[in-house]
Amino acid sequence: MDQSEAAEDLAKAARTYRRTEKAHEEARQALKQAAVAAVKAGVKQSEVVKTTGWTREYLRRLRKGGGADGSGPSADDAKPKK
């Protein structure tokens, strides 16, 4: 691979990363909204936790913050349980 091909591959990878990063954030916001709506609709918290992989604490903080506008917990708080 020459320098020109490497630079082209790098640019392509960067564009793909940016595009998928935006899609991931949009999906995360949709999941937050769906999780809050599910709890409000009566789905058991344990089921929402099981489905999302989030902790109960994260879900509680998400509900408290509303979750719809990003005012809830950060993405780092949503790390799956081990």
Side-chain angles (χ1 to χ4, degrees):
M1 174 182 301
D2 68 13
Q3 187 176 4
S4 168
E5 289 174 318
E8 188 176 316
D9 287 350
L10 175 61
K12 182 179 176 183
R15 285 190 303 272
T16 299
Y17 176 80
R18 285 187 208 100
R19 185 180 65 249
T20 59
E21 185 176 40
K22 181 180 177 189
H24 180 262
E25 178 58 25
E26 289 169 355
R28 188 175 72 84
Q29 291 300 322
L31 181 56
K32 287 168 64 175
Q33 291 174 358
V36 170
V39 172
K40 287 181 180 178
V43 176
K44 291 183 178 183
Q45 184 184 44
S46 61
E47 185 63 28
V48 175
V49 166
K50 180 180 172 184
T51 301
T52 62
W54 294 335
T55 64
R56 290 176 182 270
E57 178 59 29
Y58 178 75
L59 184 57
R60 280 191 293 274
R61 287 187 284 157
L62 186 65
R63 287 180 58 207
K64 216 175 199 183
D69 61 359
S71 62
S74 72
D76 291 338
D77 294 329
K79 302 257 190 277
K81 303 176 287 189
K82 292 188 181 184

